[in-house]
Coordinates of all heavy atoms in Angstrom, one line a residue:
M1 N 16.0 7.9 1.7 CA 17.1 7.0 1.2 C 16.8 5.6 1.8 O 16.4 5.4 2.9 CB 18.4 7.6 1.8 CG 19.6 6.8 1.4 SD 21.0 7.8 1.3 CE 22.1 6.7 0.5
N2 N 17.1 4.6 0.9 CA 16.9 3.2 1.3 C 17.9 2.8 2.4 O 19.0 3.1 2.3 CB 17.1 2.3 0.1 CG 15.9 2.4 -0.9 OD1 14.9 2.9 -0.5 ND2 16.2 2.0 -2.1
M3 N 17.3 2.1 3.4 CA 18.1 1.5 4.4 C 18.4 0.1 4.0 O 17.5 -0.7 3.9 CB 17.4 1.5 5.8 CG 18.0 0.8 6.9 SD 19.4 1.6 7.7 CE 18.6 3.1 8.3
I4 N 19.7 -0.3 3.8 CA 20.1 -1.6 3.4 C 21.0 -2.2 4.5 O 22.0 -1.6 4.9 CB 20.8 -1.6 2.0 CG1 19.9 -1.0 1.0 CG2 21.2 -3.0 1.6 CD1 20.6 -0.7 -0.3
R5 N 20.6 -3.4 5.0 CA 21.4 -4.0 6.0 C 21.5 -5.5 5.7 O 20.7 -6.1 5.0 CB 20.6 -3.9 7.4 CG 20.1 -2.5 7.8 CD 21.0 -1.7 8.5 NE 21.4 -2.2 9.8 CZ 21.0 -1.8 10.9 NH1 20.1 -0.8 11.0 NH2 21.4 -2.3 12.1
P6 N 22.6 -6.1 6.3 CA 22.7 -7.6 6.1 C 21.6 -8.3 6.9 O 21.2 -7.8 7.9 CB 24.1 -7.9 6.6 CG 24.5 -6.7 7.5 CD 23.7 -5.5 7.0
V7 N 21.2 -9.4 6.4 CA 20.1 -10.2 7.0 C 20.5 -10.6 8.5 O 19.6 -10.7 9.3 CB 19.7 -11.4 6.2 CG1 20.7 -12.5 6.2 CG2 18.3 -11.9 6.6
S8 N 21.8 -10.7 8.7 CA 22.2 -11.1 10.1 C 21.8 -10.0 11.1 O 21.6 -10.2 12.3 CB 23.7 -11.3 10.2 OG 24.4 -10.2 9.7
D9 N 21.6 -8.7 10.6 CA 21.2 -7.6 11.5 C 19.8 -7.9 12.1 O 19.5 -7.4 13.1 CB 21.3 -6.3 10.8 CG 22.7 -5.7 10.8 OD1 23.6 -6.4 11.3 OD2 22.8 -4.5 10.4
L10 N 19.0 -8.6 11.3 CA 17.7 -8.9 11.8 C 17.7 -9.7 13.1 O 17.0 -9.4 14.0 CB 16.8 -9.7 10.8 CG 15.4 -9.8 11.0 CD1 14.7 -8.5 11.2 CD2 14.7 -10.6 9.9
R11 N 18.7 -10.6 13.2 CA 18.8 -11.4 14.4 C 19.6 -10.6 15.5 O 19.2 -10.6 16.6 CB 19.6 -12.7 14.1 CG 19.9 -13.6 15.3 CD 20.7 -14.8 14.9 NE 22.0 -14.4 14.4 CZ 22.5 -14.7 13.2 NH1 21.8 -15.4 12.4 NH2 23.7 -14.3 12.8
N12 N 20.7 -10.0 15.1 CA 21.5 -9.3 16.0 C 21.0 -7.9 16.5 O 21.4 -7.5 17.6 CB 22.9 -9.2 15.4 CG 23.5 -10.5 15.1 OD1 23.3 -11.5 15.7 ND2 24.4 -10.5 14.0
N13 N 20.3 -7.3 15.7 CA 19.8 -5.9 16.0 C 18.3 -5.7 15.7 O 17.9 -4.7 15.2 CB 20.6 -4.9 15.2 CG 22.1 -5.0 15.4 OD1 22.5 -4.9 16.5 ND2 22.8 -5.1 14.3
F14 N 17.5 -6.7 16.1 CA 16.1 -6.7 15.8 C 15.4 -5.4 16.4 O 14.7 -4.8 15.7 CB 15.4 -7.9 16.4 CG 13.9 -7.9 16.2 CD1 13.4 -8.3 14.9 CD2 13.1 -7.5 17.2 CE1 12.0 -8.3 14.7 CE2 11.7 -7.4 16.9 CZ 11.2 -7.8 15.7
A15 N 15.7 -5.1 17.6 CA 15.1 -3.9 18.3 C 15.4 -2.6 17.5 O 14.5 -1.8 17.3 CB 15.5 -3.8 19.7
E16 N 16.6 -2.5 17.0 CA 17.0 -1.3 16.3 C 16.2 -1.2 14.9 O 15.7 -0.2 14.5 CB 18.5 -1.3 16.0 CG 19.0 -0.2 15.2 CD 20.5 -0.3 14.9 OE1 21.2 -1.1 15.4 OE2 20.9 0.5 14.0
I17 N 16.2 -2.4 14.2 CA 15.5 -2.4 13.0 C 14.0 -2.2 13.2 O 13.4 -1.4 12.4 CB 15.7 -3.8 12.2 CG1 17.2 -3.8 11.8 CG2 14.8 -3.9 11.0 CD1 17.6 -5.1 11.2
S18 N 13.4 -2.7 14.2 CA 12.0 -2.5 14.5 C 11.8 -1.0 14.8 O 10.8 -0.4 14.3 CB 11.6 -3.3 15.7 OG 10.3 -3.0 16.1
K19 N 12.6 -0.4 15.5 CA 12.5 1.0 15.8 C 12.6 1.9 14.5 O 11.8 2.8 14.3 CB 13.6 1.5 16.8 CG 13.5 2.9 17.2 CD 14.6 3.2 18.2 CE 14.6 4.7 18.5 NZ 15.7 5.1 19.4
I20 N 13.5 1.5 13.6 CA 13.7 2.2 12.4 C 12.4 2.2 11.5 O 11.9 3.2 11.0 CB 14.9 1.7 11.6 CG1 16.2 2.1 12.3 CG2 14.9 2.2 10.2 CD1 17.4 1.4 11.8
V21 N 11.9 0.9 11.3 CA 10.7 0.8 10.4 C 9.5 1.5 11.0 O 8.6 2.0 10.3 CB 10.4 -0.7 10.0 CG1 11.6 -1.2 9.3 CG2 10.0 -1.5 11.2
H22 N 9.4 1.5 12.4 CA 8.2 2.2 13.0 C 8.3 3.7 13.0 O 7.3 4.4 12.8 CB 7.9 1.6 14.4 CG 7.3 0.3 14.4 ND1 8.1 -0.9 14.4 CD2 6.1 -0.2 14.3 CE1 7.3 -1.9 14.3 NE2 6.1 -1.5 14.3
E23 N 9.5 4.2 13.2 CA 9.7 5.6 13.3 C 9.7 6.3 11.9 O 9.2 7.4 11.8 CB 11.0 6.0 14.1 CG 10.9 5.7 15.5 CD 12.2 6.1 16.3 OE1 13.2 6.4 15.6 OE2 12.1 6.0 17.5
T24 N 10.2 5.6 10.9 CA 10.4 6.2 9.6 C 9.2 5.8 8.7 O 9.0 6.5 7.7 CB 11.7 5.8 9.0 OG1 11.7 4.4 8.7 CG2 12.9 6.2 9.8
A25 N 8.5 4.8 9.0 CA 7.5 4.2 8.1 C 8.1 3.8 6.7 O 7.4 3.7 5.7 CB 6.3 5.1 7.9
Q26 N 9.4 3.6 6.7 CA 10.1 3.2 5.5 C 10.6 1.7 5.7 O 10.9 1.3 6.8 CB 11.3 4.1 5.2 CG 10.9 5.5 4.9 CD 10.1 5.6 3.7 OE1 10.5 5.1 2.6 NE2 9.0 6.3 3.7
P27 N 10.7 1.0 4.6 CA 11.2 -0.4 4.7 C 12.7 -0.4 4.9 O 13.5 0.5 4.6 CB 10.9 -1.0 3.3 CG 10.9 0.2 2.4 CD 10.4 1.4 3.2
V28 N 13.2 -1.5 5.5 CA 14.6 -1.9 5.6 C 14.8 -3.1 4.7 O 14.1 -4.1 4.8 CB 15.0 -2.2 7.1 CG1 16.4 -2.7 7.1 CG2 14.8 -1.0 8.0
F29 N 15.7 -2.9 3.8 CA 16.1 -4.0 2.8 C 17.2 -4.8 3.4 O 18.2 -4.3 3.8 CB 16.5 -3.4 1.5 CG 15.4 -2.6 0.8 CD1 15.2 -1.2 1.1 CD2 14.5 -3.2 0.0 CE1 14.2 -0.5 0.5 CE2 13.5 -2.5 -0.6 CZ 13.3 -1.1 -0.4
L30 N 17.0 -6.1 3.4 CA 18.0 -7.0 4.0 C 18.7 -7.8 2.9 O 18.0 -8.3 2.0 CB 17.3 -8.0 5.0 CG 16.6 -7.3 6.2 CD1 15.9 -8.3 7.0 CD2 17.6 -6.5 7.0
T31 N 20.0 -7.9 3.0 CA 20.8 -8.6 2.0 C 21.4 -9.9 2.6 O 21.6 -10.0 3.8 CB 21.9 -7.8 1.4 OG1 22.8 -7.5 2.5 CG2 21.4 -6.5 0.8
K32 N 21.6 -10.9 1.7 CA 22.3 -12.1 2.1 C 23.3 -12.4 1.0 O 23.0 -12.4 -0.2 CB 21.3 -13.3 2.1 CG 21.9 -14.6 2.6 CD 20.8 -15.6 2.7 CE 21.5 -16.9 3.2 NZ 20.4 -18.0 3.4
N33 N 24.6 -12.5 1.4 CA 25.7 -12.6 0.5 C 25.8 -11.5 -0.5 O 26.1 -11.8 -1.7 CB 25.7 -14.0 -0.1 CG 25.8 -15.1 0.9 OD1 26.5 -15.0 1.9 ND2 25.0 -16.2 0.6
G34 N 25.4 -10.3 -0.1 CA 25.5 -9.2 -1.0 C 24.3 -9.0 -2.0 O 24.3 -8.1 -2.8
Y35 N 23.3 -9.9 -1.9 CA 22.1 -9.8 -2.8 C 20.9 -9.6 -2.0 O 20.7 -10.0 -0.8 CB 22.0 -11.1 -3.6 CG 23.1 -11.3 -4.5 CD1 24.2 -12.2 -4.2 CD2 23.1 -10.7 -5.8 CE1 25.2 -12.4 -5.1 CE2 24.1 -10.9 -6.7 CZ 25.2 -11.8 -6.3 OH 26.2 -12.0 -7.2
G36 N 19.9 -8.9 -2.6 CA 18.6 -8.6 -1.9 C 18.0 -9.9 -1.5 O 17.9 -10.9 -2.3
N37 N 17.5 -10.0 -0.2 CA 16.9 -11.2 0.3 C 15.4 -11.0 0.7 O 14.6 -11.8 0.5 CB 17.7 -11.8 1.4 CG 17.2 -13.1 1.9 OD1 16.5 -13.2 2.8 ND2 17.7 -14.2 1.2
M38 N 15.2 -9.9 1.5 CA 13.9 -9.6 2.0 C 13.7 -8.2 2.4 O 14.7 -7.4 2.5 CB 13.5 -10.5 3.2 CG 14.3 -10.4 4.4 SD 13.8 -11.4 5.8 CE 14.6 -13.0 5.3
V39 N 12.5 -7.8 2.7 CA 12.2 -6.4 3.1 C 11.4 -6.5 4.4 O 10.5 -7.3 4.6 CB 11.4 -5.7 2.0 CG1 11.0 -4.3 2.5 CG2 12.1 -5.7 0.7
V40 N 11.8 -5.6 5.4 CA 11.1 -5.5 6.6 C 10.3 -4.2 6.7 O 10.9 -3.1 6.3 CB 12.0 -5.6 7.8 CG1 11.3 -5.4 9.2 CG2 12.8 -6.9 7.8
L41 N 9.0 -4.3 7.0 CA 8.2 -3.1 7.0 C 7.2 -3.1 8.2 O 6.8 -4.2 8.5 CB 7.4 -3.1 5.7 CG 6.6 -1.9 5.2 CD1 7.5 -0.7 5.0 CD2 5.9 -2.2 3.9
S42 N 6.9 -2.0 8.8 CA 5.9 -2.0 9.9 C 4.6 -2.4 9.4 O 4.3 -2.2 8.2 CB 5.9 -0.6 10.5 OG 5.2 0.3 9.7
M43 N 3.7 -2.9 10.2 CA 2.4 -3.3 9.8 C 1.6 -2.1 9.3 O 0.9 -2.2 8.3 CB 1.6 -4.0 11.0 CG 2.1 -5.4 11.3 SD 1.8 -6.5 10.0 CE 0.0 -6.6 10.0
E44 N 1.7 -1.0 10.0 CA 1.0 0.2 9.6 C 1.4 0.6 8.2 O 0.6 0.9 7.3 CB 1.3 1.3 10.5 CG 0.7 1.1 11.9 CD 1.6 0.3 12.8 OE1 2.8 0.0 12.5 OE2 1.1 -0.2 13.9
A45 N 2.7 0.6 7.9 CA 3.2 1.0 6.6 C 2.7 0.0 5.5 O 2.4 0.4 4.4 CB 4.7 1.2 6.6
F46 N 2.8 -1.3 5.9 CA 2.3 -2.3 4.9 C 0.8 -2.1 4.6 O 0.4 -2.2 3.4 CB 2.6 -3.7 5.5 CG 2.1 -4.8 4.6 CD1 2.7 -5.2 3.5 CD2 0.9 -5.4 5.0 CE1 2.2 -6.2 2.7 CE2 0.4 -6.5 4.2 CZ 1.1 -6.8 3.0
Q47 N 0.0 -1.9 5.6 CA -1.4 -1.8 5.4 C -1.7 -0.5 4.6 O -2.6 -0.6 3.7 CB -2.1 -1.7 6.7 CG -2.2 -3.0 7.5 CD -2.7 -2.9 8.9 OE1 -2.7 -1.9 9.5 NE2 -3.1 -4.1 9.4
K48 N -1.0 0.5 4.8 CA -1.2 1.8 4.0 C -0.8 1.5 2.5 O -1.5 1.9 1.6 CB -0.3 2.9 4.5 CG -0.4 4.2 3.7 CD 0.5 5.3 4.3 CE 0.3 6.5 3.4 NZ 1.5 7.3 3.3
M49 N 0.3 0.8 2.3 CA 0.8 0.5 1.0 C -0.2 -0.5 0.3 O -0.6 -0.3 -0.9 CB 2.1 -0.2 1.0 CG 2.7 -0.6 -0.3 SD 4.4 -1.3 -0.2 CE 3.9 -2.9 0.5
Q50 N -0.8 -1.4 1.0 CA -1.8 -2.3 0.5 C -3.0 -1.6 0.1 O -3.6 -1.8 -1.0 CB -2.0 -3.4 1.5 CG -2.8 -4.6 0.9 CD -2.9 -5.7 2.0 OE1 -2.9 -5.5 3.2 NE2 -2.9 -7.0 1.5
F51 N -3.5 -0.7 1.0 CA -4.7 0.1 0.7 C -4.5 1.0 -0.6 O -5.4 1.0 -1.4 CB -5.0 1.0 1.9 CG -6.2 1.9 1.6 CD1 -7.5 1.5 1.6 CD2 -5.9 3.3 1.4 CE1 -8.5 2.4 1.3 CE2 -6.9 4.2 1.1 CZ -8.2 3.7 1.1
E52 N -3.3 1.6 -0.6 CA -3.1 2.5 -1.8 C -3.0 1.7 -3.1 O -3.5 2.1 -4.1 CB -1.8 3.3 -1.6 CG -1.9 4.3 -0.5 CD -0.6 5.0 -0.2 OE1 0.5 4.5 -0.6 OE2 -0.6 6.0 0.6
S53 N -2.5 0.5 -3.0 CA -2.4 -0.4 -4.2 C -3.8 -0.8 -4.6 O -4.2 -0.8 -5.8 CB -1.6 -1.6 -3.8 OG -1.6 -2.5 -4.9
E54 N -4.7 -1.1 -3.7 CA -6.1 -1.5 -4.0 C -6.8 -0.3 -4.6 O -7.5 -0.5 -5.6 CB -6.8 -2.0 -2.7 CG -6.3 -3.3 -2.2 CD -7.0 -3.7 -0.9 OE1 -8.0 -3.1 -0.5 OE2 -6.5 -4.6 -0.2
V55 N -6.6 0.9 -4.1 CA -7.3 2.0 -4.6 C -6.8 2.3 -6.1 O -7.6 2.6 -7.0 CB -7.1 3.3 -3.7 CG1 -7.5 4.6 -4.4 CG2 -7.8 3.1 -2.4
Y56 N -5.5 2.2 -6.2 CA -4.9 2.4 -7.6 C -5.5 1.4 -8.6 O -5.9 1.8 -9.7 CB -3.4 2.2 -7.5 CG -2.8 2.2 -8.9 CD1 -2.5 3.4 -9.6 CD2 -2.4 1.0 -9.5 CE1 -2.0 3.4 -10.8 CE2 -1.8 1.0 -10.8 CZ -1.6 2.2 -11.4 OH -1.1 2.2 -12.7
F57 N -5.6 0.1 -8.3 CA -6.1 -0.8 -9.2 C -7.6 -0.6 -9.4 O -8.1 -0.9 -10.6 CB -5.8 -2.3 -8.8 CG -4.4 -2.6 -9.0 CD1 -3.5 -2.8 -8.0 CD2 -3.9 -2.7 -10.4 CE1 -2.2 -3.1 -8.3 CE2 -2.6 -3.0 -10.6 CZ -1.7 -3.2 -9.6
K58 N -8.4 -0.2 -8.4 CA -9.8 0.1 -8.6 C -10.0 1.3 -9.6 O -10.9 1.3 -10.4 CB -10.5 0.3 -7.3 CG -10.7 -1.0 -6.5 CD -11.4 -0.8 -5.2 CE -11.5 -2.1 -4.5 NZ -12.2 -2.0 -3.2
L59 N -9.1 2.3 -9.4 CA -9.2 3.5 -10.3 C -8.8 3.1 -11.7 O -9.4 3.6 -12.7 CB -8.3 4.6 -9.8 CG -8.8 5.3 -8.5 CD1 -7.7 6.3 -8.0 CD2 -10.1 6.1 -8.8
L60 N -7.8 2.3 -11.8 CA -7.4 1.8 -13.2 C -8.5 1.0 -13.8 O -8.8 1.2 -15.0 CB -6.1 0.9 -13.0 CG -5.5 0.5 -14.3 CD1 -5.0 1.7 -15.1 CD2 -4.3 -0.4 -14.0
E61 N -9.2 0.2 -13.1 CA -10.3 -0.6 -13.6 C -11.4 0.3 -14.0 O -12.0 0.1 -15.1 CB -10.8 -1.6 -12.5 CG -11.9 -2.4 -13.0 CD -12.4 -3.4 -11.9 OE1 -11.6 -3.7 -11.0 OE2 -13.6 -3.8 -11.9
A62 N -11.7 1.4 -13.2 CA -12.8 2.3 -13.6 C -12.4 3.1 -14.8 O -13.3 3.4 -15.7 CB -13.0 3.3 -12.4
E63 N -11.1 3.5 -15.0 CA -10.7 4.2 -16.2 C -10.9 3.3 -17.5 O -11.3 3.7 -18.5 CB -9.2 4.6 -16.1 CG -9.1 5.8 -15.2 CD -7.6 6.2 -15.0 OE1 -6.7 5.5 -15.6 OE2 -7.3 7.1 -14.3
R64 N -10.5 2.0 -17.3 CA -10.7 1.1 -18.5 C -12.2 0.9 -18.8 O -12.5 0.9 -20.0 CB -10.1 -0.3 -18.1 CG -8.6 -0.3 -18.1 CD -8.0 -1.6 -17.9 NE -6.6 -1.6 -17.8 CZ -5.8 -2.4 -17.1 NH1 -6.4 -3.3 -16.3 NH2 -4.5 -2.3 -17.1
E65 N -13.0 0.8 -17.8 CA -14.4 0.7 -18.0 C -15.0 1.9 -18.7 O -15.8 1.9 -19.6 CB -15.2 0.4 -16.7 CG -16.6 0.1 -16.9 CD -17.3 -0.2 -15.6 OE1 -16.7 -0.8 -14.7 OE2 -18.5 0.1 -15.5
A66 N -14.5 3.1 -18.3 CA -15.0 4.4 -18.9 C -14.6 4.5 -20.3 O -15.3 5.1 -21.1 CB -14.4 5.5 -18.1
E67 N -13.4 3.9 -20.7 CA -13.0 3.9 -22.1 C -14.0 3.1 -23.0 O -14.1 3.5 -24.2 CB -11.6 3.3 -22.2 CG -10.5 4.2 -21.7 CD -9.1 3.5 -21.7 OE1 -9.1 2.3 -22.1 OE2 -8.2 4.1 -21.3
H68 N -14.6 2.1 -22.4 CA -15.5 1.2 -23.2 C -17.0 1.6 -23.1 O -17.8 0.9 -23.7 CB -15.3 -0.2 -22.9 CG -13.9 -0.7 -23.1 ND1 -13.3 -0.8 -24.4 CD2 -12.9 -1.0 -22.3 CE1 -12.1 -1.2 -24.3 NE2 -11.8 -1.3 -23.0
S69 N -17.3 2.6 -22.3 CA -18.7 2.9 -22.1 C -18.8 4.4 -22.2 O -18.0 5.2 -21.8 CB -19.1 2.5 -20.6 OG -20.3 3.1 -20.3
G70 N -19.9 4.8 -22.8 CA -20.2 6.2 -23.0 C -21.0 6.8 -21.9 O -21.3 8.0 -21.8
K71 N -21.5 5.9 -20.9 CA -22.3 6.4 -19.8 C -21.5 7.1 -18.8 O -20.4 6.7 -18.4 CB -22.9 5.1 -19.1 CG -23.8 5.4 -18.0 CD -25.1 6.1 -18.4 CE -26.0 6.3 -17.2 NZ -26.9 7.3 -17.3
R72 N -22.0 8.3 -18.4 CA -21.4 9.1 -17.4 C -22.4 9.5 -16.3 O -23.6 9.6 -16.6 CB -20.8 10.4 -18.0 CG -19.7 10.2 -19.0 CD -18.5 9.6 -18.4 NE -17.4 9.4 -19.4 CZ -17.2 8.2 -20.0 NH1 -17.9 7.2 -19.8 NH2 -16.2 8.2 -20.9
Y73 N -22.0 9.7 -15.1 CA -22.9 10.0 -14.0 C -22.5 11.3 -13.4 O -21.3 11.6 -13.2 CB -22.8 8.9 -12.9 CG -23.2 7.5 -13.4 CD1 -22.2 6.6 -13.9 CD2 -24.5 7.1 -13.4 CE1 -22.6 5.4 -14.3 CE2 -24.9 5.9 -13.9 CZ -23.9 5.0 -14.3 OH -24.3 3.8 -14.8
S74 N -23.5 12.1 -13.0 CA -23.3 13.3 -12.3 C -23.0 13.1 -10.9 O -23.3 12.0 -10.4 CB -24.5 14.3 -12.4 OG -25.6 13.8 -11.6
S75 N -22.5 14.0 -10.2 CA -22.2 13.8 -8.7 C -23.5 13.6 -8.0 O -23.5 12.8 -7.0 CB -21.4 15.0 -8.2 OG -22.1 16.2 -8.4
K76 N -24.5 14.2 -8.4 CA -25.8 14.0 -7.7 C -26.3 12.6 -7.9 O -26.8 12.0 -6.9 CB -26.9 15.0 -8.2 CG -26.6 16.5 -7.8 CD -27.7 17.4 -8.3 CE -27.3 18.8 -7.9 NZ -28.3 19.8 -8.4
E77 N -26.2 12.1 -9.1 CA -26.6 10.7 -9.3 C -25.8 9.7 -8.5 O -26.3 8.7 -7.9 CB -26.4 10.3 -10.8 CG -27.4 11.0 -11.7 CD -27.1 10.8 -13.2 OE1 -25.9 10.9 -13.6 OE2 -28.1 10.4 -13.9
V78 N -24.5 9.9 -8.4 CA -23.6 9.1 -7.6 C -24.0 9.1 -6.1 O -24.1 8.1 -5.5 CB -22.1 9.4 -7.8 CG1 -21.2 8.7 -6.9 CG2 -21.7 9.2 -9.3
L79 N -24.2 10.3 -5.6 CA -24.5 10.5 -4.2 C -25.9 9.8 -3.9 O -26.0 9.2 -2.9 CB -24.6 12.0 -3.9 CG -24.9 12.3 -2.4 CD1 -23.8 11.7 -1.5 CD2 -24.9 13.8 -2.2
A80 N -26.8 10.0 -4.8 CA -28.1 9.3 -4.6 C -28.0 7.8 -4.6 O -28.6 7.1 -3.8 CB -29.1 9.8 -5.7
A81 N -27.2 7.3 -5.5 CA -27.0 5.8 -5.5 C -26.3 5.3 -4.3 O -26.6 4.3 -3.7 CB -26.1 5.5 -6.8
M82 N -25.3 6.1 -3.8 CA -24.6 5.7 -2.5 C -25.6 5.7 -1.4 O -25.6 4.8 -0.5 CB -23.5 6.7 -2.3 CG -22.3 6.5 -3.2 SD -21.0 7.8 -3.1 CE -20.7 7.8 -1.3
K83 N -26.5 6.8 -1.3 CA -27.5 6.8 -0.2 C -28.4 5.7 -0.3 O -28.8 5.1 0.7 CB -28.2 8.2 -0.3 CG -27.3 9.3 0.2 CD -28.1 10.6 0.3 CE -27.3 11.7 0.8 NZ -28.0 13.0 0.8
D84 N -28.9 5.3 -1.5 CA -29.8 4.2 -1.7 C -29.1 2.9 -1.2 O -29.7 2.1 -0.5 CB -30.1 4.0 -3.2 CG -31.2 5.0 -3.6 OD1 -31.8 5.6 -2.8 OD2 -31.4 5.1 -4.9
T85 N -27.8 2.7 -1.5 CA -27.1 1.5 -1.2 C -27.0 1.4 0.4 O -27.1 0.4 0.9 CB -25.7 1.5 -1.8 OG1 -25.9 1.5 -3.2 CG2 -24.9 0.3 -1.4
M86 N -26.8 2.6 1.0 CA -26.6 2.6 2.4 C -27.9 2.7 3.2 O -27.9 2.7 4.4 CB -25.7 3.8 2.8 CG -24.3 3.6 2.3 SD -23.0 4.9 2.5 CE -23.7 6.1 3.6
G87 N -29.0 2.8 2.5 CA -30.3 2.8 3.1 C -30.6 4.1 3.8 O -31.4 4.1 4.8
E88 N -30.1 5.2 3.3 CA -30.4 6.5 3.9 C -31.5 7.3 3.3 O -31.7 8.5 3.6 CB -29.1 7.4 3.9 CG -28.0 6.8 4.7 CD -26.8 7.7 4.8 OE1 -26.8 8.9 4.4 OE2 -25.7 7.2 5.3
R89 N -32.2 6.7 2.4 CA -33.3 7.4 1.8 C -34.6 7.0 2.4 O -34.9 6.0 2.9 CB -33.4 7.1 0.3 CG -32.4 8.0 -0.4 CD -32.6 7.9 -1.9 NE -32.1 9.1 -2.5 CZ -32.3 9.4 -3.8 NH1 -33.1 8.7 -4.5 NH2 -31.8 10.5 -4.3

């Protein structure tokens, strides 16, 4: 469930909000005059979200490329290419 707090709580209850975002890994939504103003998120949760977003867009790009190309690779070909790139051959 979303945690929604007034932006003044960031100043008045910073330690509590910090504890919430770190313990739950969920964002706290801050409002100003009854409207959404900002979101507070732990660094760990932000980095995870950013990583997942990057992976999603890379997979989306790969799907689009696959639609326009008939070339397919076996798992052995992919593993061999990865080893060549990493210099393990």
Side-chain angles (χ1 to χ4, degrees):
M1 176 149 195
N2 289 338
M3 170 80 60
I4 302 171
R5 310 274 295 256
V7 74
S8 61
D9 276 7
L10 189 57
R11 178 183 62 242
N12 300 329
N13 302 309
F14 178 82
E16 178 186 348
I17 291 174
S18 177
K19 183 178 176 183
I20 290 168
V21 299
H22 285 92
E23 287 180 355
T24 66
Q26 295 296 311
V28 172
F29 297 89
L30 301 174
T31 62
K32 183 175 181 180
N33 299 323
Y35 295 96
N37 186 267
M38 65 178 79
V39 178
V40 177
L41 192 62
S42 71
M43 286 296 292
E44 294 82 11
F46 176 77
Q47 289 170 341
K48 180 182 179 215
M49 183 178 69
Q50 194 173 30
F51 174 76
E52 289 171 353
S53 178
E54 288 175 16
V55 169
Y56 171 79
F57 284 110
K58 287 180 181 180
L59 287 172
L60 187 61
E61 181 181 334
E63 286 178 358
R64 287 183 183 148
E65 185 176 327
E67 289 174 359
H68 299 293
S69 169
K71 180 70 174 154
R72 300 293 183 263
Y73 299 94
S74 71
S75 58
K76 288 181 182 180
E77 290 173 313
V78 172
L79 184 59
M82 289 172 52
K83 286 182 177 180
D84 281 345
T85 300
M86 294 176 9
E88 293 185 13
R89 277 190 158 193

